[in-house]
Amino acid sequence: MSDQVRKPNADGVAAALESIQAIPLAPTPLLPVEIGGVQAHVKCENLQPIGAFKIRGAWWRLKSLDDDHAVAVSSGNHAQGVAWAARKLGLRATIVMPRDAPQVKLDNTRALGADIVLYERPGEDRDGVAAKIIAEKGGTLVHAFGDPWVMEGQGTAGLELAAQLGHEPSRIITCCGGGGLAVGLSLACPASAIHIVEPVGWDMVGKALAAGEIVEAAADAPKTICDALQPNATKQLNLDMLAGRAEPGITVTDEEIRAAQRFAFANLHIVLEPGGAAALAAALASKVPVDPDTVIMLTGGNADPAAYARTIAAAETAEAV
Amino acid sequence: MSDQVRKPNADGVAAALESIQAIPLAPTPLLPVEIGGVQAHVKCENLQPIGAFKIRGAWWRLKSLDDDHAVAVSSGNHAQGVAWAARKLGLRATIVMPRDAPQVKLDNTRALGADIVLYERPGEDRDGVAAKIIAEKGGTLVHAFGDPWVMEGQGTAGLELAAQLGHEPSRIITCCGGGGLAVGLSLACPASAIHIVEPVGWDMVGKALAAGEIVEAAADAPKTICDALQPNATKQLNLDMLAGRAEPGITVTDEEIRAAQRFAFANLHIVLEPGGAAALAAALASKVPVDPDTVIMLTGGNADPAAYARTIAAAETAEAV
């Protein structure tokens, strides 16, 4: 299908932003943050109506869709984005979600009116589940990170933050699942270095960039608290777009991510889910340089209440170490 | 002293905003919020650099100060505001704080370079402690809510939110300790109804408005989780400015406040301390009407981690009730 060969581009990102502004969906705040004595910036995508940047790509894809039924596979934030956009546009949405997705994401997706089909992670072939739905009921697959419209939509965050900063950042530090946001940001801010941050063992984009080819997650990949950053592999289109463009991948541990969640709680007074704190975790752990023109993406805030409470309550112990 | 008779006014609020913009201190976000099917707005003062609106009044007072030493009495947010402003302006700051103030507020105030003098709450006369410091070491008292410059400074939030909304709100719902913010908002937005929200038993402004005179907190006033909203009484200047202007006072319970903290966590992805959630609590509990032109003030996010974790972890239980 022609969808598979369309390349995302800067004009598409600009058109996506125009469409998003017309909804209207207001720009998310760009707030100051002090890290190691340097005042840099955080782009608060966790303050989106669905609590994640995924609303951007989902909107732009569904707005451009020649179908009345969107089918998506997602652990939760893309699911909410597709459900939100479908409701706004009067389309049907069916979302294939892992049975172990955070309850809050399952609940929110359902509350937005989407049909949910659960699958077992790992084991069951989620793309197969989606393909079966489309074969039986019709619909168009809206891939969470491999779709060119989705990439362009995510890139609107980059146009916004450059406008808010007054110029393109020196560097953008972003969490990375399959690489849709990273591609979008690279198109939106061609002068900015793009640093991608992934959980240890789930650095499928970082590994693909290093290898020059798609790398699949190991069967015995370690557990991660970042439910939103566990792609089995990136896609060729993402790799093609990021190769030679993104900086070498960075990985962060669960404990570094929890420290970043606590930092955001205490210093920024915002809620980050684990995956949404990955870029901040890399900056706080000095795994990437931070200068006054650096923008750190805070990508999602849909945290499980019980897990979040444990992380925050551990603050005193953790800081004392 | 002439300070005591100066009346805060709209010109002062406008001058304060100009001064705040020149620091620069960026406007805090005005975000959408859906309450009972109505989309209203929240003004996120918890996203200030010190995590509370108090930075505004403290800045404007210290900027206007003819002294190199600011002395303040505060449970924490005003303390941080004064310390922040003093550091920026190169002044000394001494803060009288209750020994039982949240550790996070004590730590933050100290980290901003202020001298801290602790007192026992209740029992010790905190104003007496401050007066003794001034008698011995010199300095000017920067009252947390009874100072006209402080009131004008707090009012800058009102000018900002009206600009962000495009017009003055129909109503502004705000938490209320001594009434400094309420006075400032009433000056900034003369066309808006001003609804003040106080913890049950600590509604010293609501009671004063009803009685037409200052009312002191009862010796056996109930405990409240709102450490920031426990004034012993409002001041005559606050009462004079709000009489015939503010709507009748509203009170909220600890449980209503905790529900609002959970709502902000799950739906807005921001952290609110108890006092900072009071206005939202009143709106969620339908104690004040909410229409699309309503703005709800979210005034502070300096939550104690352990207490916040307990509140958030109680979510499932609480929502199921």
Side-chain angles (χ1 to χ4, degrees):
Chain A
M1 291 183 286
S2 64
D3 286 12
Q4 296 306 313
V5 295
R6 176 171 183 266
K7 278 185 77 169
N9 57 73
D11 287 347
V13 179
L17 183 61
E18 204 170 312
S19 174
I20 279 173
Q21 288 171 334
I23 299 175
L25 194 63
T28 54
L30 186 76
L31 297 179
V33 64
E34 196 177 312
I35 296 181
V38 174
Q39 188 179 299
H41 311 268
V42 285
K43 177 68 170 166
C44 297
E45 289 292 297
N46 63 316
L47 300 182
Q48 289 282 11
I50 63 155
F53 73 95
K54 293 283 191 177
I55 198 170
R56 300 176 181 273
W59 170 265
W60 183 231
R61 183 67 193 96
L62 267 63
K63 181 81 171 126
S64 313
L65 204 64
D66 186 22
D67 199 332
D68 67 350
H69 184 205
V71 179
V73 177
S74 166
S75 79
N77 284 334
H78 178 57
Q80 290 178 70
V82 170
W84 187 92
R87 192 174 67 169
K88 279 267 181 199
L89 292 163
L91 310 179
R92 279 183 305 145
T94 303
I95 321 280
V96 180
M97 297 181 75
R99 194 173 296 276
D100 65 353
Q103 193 61 40
V104 60
K105 294 182 179 177
L106 290 166
D107 291 346
N108 290 351
T109 305
R110 203 171 276 124
L112 286 165
D115 288 331
I116 296 179
V117 177
L118 297 176
Y119 76 95
E120 303 291 342
R121 171 170 65 178
E124 207 168 348
D125 170 20
R126 59 187 187 175
D127 292 332
V129 175
K132 188 153 171 277
I133 291 167
I134 291 171
E136 286 174 4
K137 302 188 180 176
T140 299
L141 182 70
V142 177
H143 197 277
F145 57 81
D147 179 289
W149 285 271
V150 168
M151 296 177 199
E152 289 172 349
Q154 319 301 31
T156 59
L159 293 183
E160 272 182 23
L161 66 86
Q164 290 166 313
L165 193 63
H167 52 83
E168 288 184 36
S170 57
R171 66 189 78 247
I172 304 177
I173 311 174
T174 182
C175 73
C176 185
L181 176 59
V183 170
L185 293 172
S186 72
L187 292 170
C189 299
S192 304
I194 306 293
H195 296 267
I196 59 164
V197 183
E198 299 170 289
V200 168
W202 292 93
D203 51 333
M204 308 330 298
V205 174
K207 283 207 173 82
L209 286 171
E213 61 181 14
I214 302 291
V215 179
E216 295 208 350
D220 62 348
K223 278 190 186 298
T224 168
I225 54 172
C226 299
D227 60 271
L229 305 179
Q230 290 183 272
N232 190 51
T234 186
K235 294 279 184 187
Q236 192 62 46
L237 181 56
N238 300 70
L239 175 56
D240 290 346
M241 296 295 299
L242 292 174
R245 173 69 181 92
E247 304 297 313
I250 299 161
T251 58
V252 287
T253 67
D254 282 0
E255 212 29 73
E256 287 166 342
I257 284 170
R258 287 197 186 95
Q261 289 180 285
R262 285 191 286 267
F263 178 93
F265 169 86
N267 296 283
L268 300 171
H269 310 104
I270 62 174
V271 177
L272 295 181
E273 62 181 278
L280 180 61
L284 290 172
S286 304
K287 292 185 172 182
V288 56
V290 173
D291 64 49
D293 282 336
T294 296
V295 174
I296 300 165
M297 303 298 297
L298 305 183
T299 48
N302 292 305
D304 172 72
Y308 189 81
R310 283 194 300 275
T311 295
I312 296 306
E316 276 109 326
T317 326
E319 303 310 325
V321 170
Chain B
M1 292 183 285
S2 65
D3 285 12
Q4 297 305 313
V5 294
R6 177 173 183 264
K7 279 185 75 169
N9 57 74
D11 287 347
V13 179
L17 183 60
E18 205 169 311
S19 173
I20 280 172
Q21 288 170 335
I23 299 175
L25 194 63
T28 54
L30 186 76
L31 297 179
V33 64
E34 196 178 311
I35 297 182
V38 174
Q39 188 179 298
H41 311 268
V42 286
K43 176 69 170 165
C44 298
E45 289 293 297
N46 64 316
L47 300 182
Q48 288 282 10
I50 63 155
F53 73 95
K54 294 283 191 177
I55 198 170
R56 299 175 181 274
W59 170 265
W60 183 230
R61 184 67 192 96
L62 267 62
K63 180 82 172 131
S64 314
L65 204 64
D66 187 22
D67 199 331
D68 66 351
H69 183 206
V71 178
V73 176
S74 167
S75 80
N77 284 334
H78 178 58
Q80 290 178 71
V82 170
W84 187 92
R87 193 174 66 169
K88 279 267 181 198
L89 291 163
L91 309 179
R92 279 183 305 143
T94 303
I95 321 280
V96 180
M97 297 182 75
R99 194 173 295 277
D100 65 352
Q103 192 63 39
V104 60
K105 293 181 178 177
L106 291 166
D107 292 346
N108 290 351
T109 305
R110 203 171 276 124
L112 286 165
D115 289 332
I116 296 179
V117 177
L118 297 176
Y119 76 94
E120 302 291 341
R121 172 170 65 178
E124 207 167 347
D125 170 20
R126 60 187 185 173
D127 292 330
V129 175
K132 187 153 172 278
I133 291 167
I134 291 172
E136 287 175 3
K137 303 188 181 176
T140 299
L141 182 71
V142 178
H143 197 276
F145 57 81
D147 179 289
W149 284 271
V150 168
M151 297 177 198
E152 289 172 350
Q154 317 302 31
T156 60
L159 293 183
E160 272 182 23
L161 66 86
Q164 290 166 314
L165 193 63
H167 52 84
E168 289 184 36
S170 57
R171 66 189 79 244
I172 303 177
I173 311 174
T174 182
C175 73
C176 185
L181 176 58
V183 171
L185 294 172
S186 72
L187 292 170
C189 299
S192 304
I194 307 292
H195 297 267
I196 59 165
V197 184
E198 299 171 289
V200 167
W202 292 92
D203 51 334
M204 308 330 298
V205 174
K207 283 207 172 83
L209 285 171
E213 60 181 14
I214 302 291
V215 179
E216 295 208 351
D220 62 347
K223 278 189 187 299
T224 168
I225 54 172
C226 299
D227 60 89
L229 306 179
Q230 290 183 273
N232 190 52
T234 185
K235 295 278 185 188
Q236 192 62 45
L237 181 56
N238 300 71
L239 175 55
D240 290 345
M241 296 296 298
L242 292 173
R245 174 69 181 91
E247 303 297 313
I250 299 161
T251 58
V252 287
T253 67
D254 282 359
E255 212 29 74
E256 287 165 343
I257 284 170
R258 287 198 187 94
Q261 289 180 286
R262 285 191 287 267
F263 178 93
F265 169 85
N267 296 282
L268 301 171
H269 310 103
I270 62 175
V271 177
L272 296 180
E273 63 181 277
L280 180 61
L284 291 172
S286 304
K287 292 185 172 183
V288 55
V290 173
D291 65 50
D293 281 336
T294 296
V295 174
I296 300 165
M297 302 298 296
L298 305 183
T299 49
N302 292 306
D304 171 73
Y308 189 81
R310 283 193 301 275
T311 295
I312 296 306
E316 277 109 325
T317 325
E319 304 310 324
V321 170

